[in-house]
Amino acid sequence: MRVYNFSAGPSMLPLPVLEKVKSQLTDYNGTGMSVMEMSHRSKPYQEINDKAESLLRELLSVPEEYDIIFVQGGASTQFEAVPLNLGTNKKADYVVTGNFAKKAFKEAGKFTDAVCVASSEDKNFTYIPKVDASSFRKDADYVHICFNNTIFGSHWSYIPDTAGVPLVADMSSCILSEEIDVKKFGVIYAGAQKNVGPAGVTIVIVRKDMQDKCQSICPTMLKWSTQTKEKSLYNTPPCWSTYVAMEVFQYLKDNGGIKAMHKINVEKAGLLYDFIDNSDFYNNGVAKDDRSLMNVPFVTRDPDTDAKFIAEAAKAGFVSIKGHRLVGGMRASIYNAMPVEGVKKLVEFMKKFELENK
Ligand SMILES: *Cc1c(COP(=O)(O)O)cnc(C)c1O
């Protein structure tokens, strides 16, 4: 039996995608081999690679002046790649809105003059600071933001005006959940294992003019142009993860694209937030305008009751709902693959638990 998996990542994948992948596991498209066994230089893999790129471009309306690459190393490797690729003036401004944003900021400090221009750490990252053009250095190489804060459950409700300084965004936990205006960003990156596919592949969407500003020490493997020139095939790519991601893209396209996904995501998150806000048993402390559609943290009155909730939820088939240690309590991660029904059932369970433990 499949459970409702509320894991923050790796997380649920659409069941039809898993079934399709299973049906092709040992013989992909009549090739007599699995994608796992296939040369990345072979024609069938080239087609998978091309299709992954073109489907993602279509889903997110990525303009021609941007390249899309599929690389290894996770989003965390991009924390280093960003300052090394964008190093003309060796100055970078960071908005620190959570744990990953902070890690990115710290990593950048090794390679560039990184400045934290705004932070919400004063209130344990429960809001997104208001920043505008005056917040940033005019000669900064870029401004870095984390668009959805996976651990703290917050999300930027606006795209900051950086007065022409390129905006770089970590979208690991919200990519494909909502329509985005790619043109507002110089670089977007995202690890796959939240909302895209299996761990192992990382998406980088990078404007062409962001590819000639490298620091001289930038390692070949971290240089975006190394992979954009070779269409992600400079070295052996994470073939399997890219293949499954491609099937997820196809599935999203067949099911109405990102607009349709976003509508469902708004519905799912609304069910949870409305219930939590109308209850005096559960609480979500994130500023209402800044709440994430993907990660919904909540607590009961005390850690013992939280622990009881988590244990009973698991028995009832709602797994991996324990919050991150930095926040405590619970966190329901409700990415694209979580069905509305899963959230409805969770809310029913929460009601029942409340009645029994008030
Ligand atoms: C999970 C996550 C990361 C880290 O991703 P890895 O692929 O494990 O390196 C970075 N940023 C955000 C927003 C995340 O959710």
Side-chain angles (χ1 to χ4, degrees), residues 290-343:
D290 302 334
R291 284 171 165 178
S292 168
L293 293 180
M294 299 282 96
N295 311 98
V296 182
F298 57 95
V299 292
T300 65
R301 64 177 166 260
D302 61 56
D304 286 345
T305 313
D306 292 344
K308 191 173 177 217
F309 181 99
I310 293 158
E312 289 185 17
K315 271 191 211 140
F318 307 101
V319 308
S320 297
I321 204 163
K322 189 172 192 286
H324 191 278
R325 70 196 140 74
L326 293 172
V327 182
M330 283 67 71
R331 170 178 48 171
S333 293
I334 48 175
Y335 300 113
N336 286 348
M338 172 61 69
V340 179
E341 189 202 331
V343 177

Side-chain angles (χ1 to χ4, degrees), residues 43 133 147 154 191 224 322 342:
K43 195 157 173 276
F147 212 51
S154 70
W224 297 320
K322 189 172 192 286

Side-chain angles (χ1 to χ4, degrees), residues 5-11 100 125 146-155 171-175 177-178 193-195 265 268-269 272-273 276 284-287 290-298 320-324 327 330-336 338 346:
N5 176 6
F6 291 90
S7 169
S11 34
F100 291 115
F125 299 121
C146 180
F147 212 51
N148 185 78
N149 297 283
T150 323
I151 294 174
F152 297 91
S154 70
H155 178 272
M171 294 202 183
S172 295
S173 51
C174 59
I175 194 162
S177 70
E178 62 190 325
Q193 69 274 21
K194 289 15 188 291
N195 209 19
N265 289 329
K268 286 189 295 185
L272 259 178
Y273 287 123
I276 291 168
N284 166 284
V286 179
D290 302 334
R291 284 171 165 178
S292 168
L293 293 180
M294 299 282 96
N295 311 98
V296 182
F298 57 95
S320 297
I321 204 163
K322 189 172 192 286
H324 191 278
V327 182
M330 283 67 71
R331 170 178 48 171
S333 293
I334 48 175
Y335 300 113
N336 286 348
M338 172 61 69
L346 174 64

Side-chain angles (χ1 to χ4, degrees), residues 135-266:
S135 312
F136 309 110
R137 291 178 291 179
K138 289 196 169 40
D139 58 347
D141 293 314
Y142 63 91
V143 170
H144 182 280
I145 63 172
C146 180
F147 212 51
N148 185 78
N149 297 283
T150 323
I151 294 174
F152 297 91
S154 70
H155 178 272
W156 285 73
S157 62
Y158 69 104
I159 296 175
D161 174 9
T162 58
V165 178
L167 187 59
V168 176
D170 177 356
M171 294 202 183
S172 295
S173 51
C174 59
I175 194 162
L176 301 174
S177 70
E178 62 190 325
E179 292 177 291
I180 43 165
D181 185 358
V182 173
K183 277 207 233 33
K184 299 254 163 75
F185 301 87
V187 184
I188 292 168
Y189 64 90
Q193 69 274 21
K194 289 15 188 291
N195 209 19
V196 176
V201 64
T202 306
I203 295 166
V204 184
I205 302 172
V206 51
R207 210 167 61 208
K208 293 193 193 294
D209 66 316
M210 300 284 101
Q211 297 175 32
D212 57 2
K213 301 177 190 314
C214 264
Q215 295 194 31
S216 56
I217 58 159
C218 183
T220 305
M221 277 300 292
L222 294 188
K223 206 183 267 190
W224 297 320
S225 61
T226 302
Q227 295 290 8
T228 59
K229 278 184 199 143
E230 303 287 337
K231 291 190 145 267
S232 308
L233 296 171
Y234 168 76
N235 68 322
T236 318
C239 301
W240 176 255
S241 300
T242 305
Y243 158 62
V244 181
M246 181 274 279
E247 292 292 3
V248 171
F249 300 153
Q250 185 66 55
Y251 172 83
L252 294 176
K253 183 182 168 183
D254 295 344
N255 285 276
I258 304 305
K259 204 182 192 129
M261 254 9 271
H262 181 241
K263 198 164 163 251
I264 299 169
N265 289 329
V266 168

